[in-house]
Amino acid sequence: MSKSIFLNVTGMKCGGCETNAKHKLEAVEGITKVIASHKDNKIEVEFKLENTNEEAIISVITEAGYKVV
Ligand SMILES: [Cu+2]
């Protein structure tokens, strides 16, 4: 089963930050779609519930240097 979450994320300043966050998230098994927008301060993540979870996704974003609010 897949789930989509919409996270409010601060700290992304440009397209490079979006790409960085996207690549780090896409490296996680089970994450099937990532849309990051620094303008909207949002990241949408679609993932398979059997592979990962919201907490793990938030950790990846935090480790990439951005803040989930
Ligand atoms: Cu940037």
Side-chain angles (χ1 to χ4, degrees), residues 13-14 16-17:
K13 305 288 186 207
C14 66
C17 297

Side-chain angles (χ1 to χ4, degrees), residues 5-15 17-19 21-22 25 33-46 57 61 66-69:
I5 54 172
F6 296 84
L7 300 166
N8 293 306
V9 178
T10 59
M12 293 187 295
K13 305 288 186 207
C14 66
C17 297
E18 291 171 1
T19 304
K22 187 173 156 73
L25 286 164
K33 184 176 139 189
V34 180
I35 299 173
S37 167
H38 77 280
K39 281 186 196 147
D40 297 333
N41 290 315
K42 280 201 166 68
I43 300 181
E44 177 186 356
V45 183
E46 189 179 284
I57 289 165
I61 294 170
Y66 313 115
K67 192 174 178 204
V68 179
V69 292

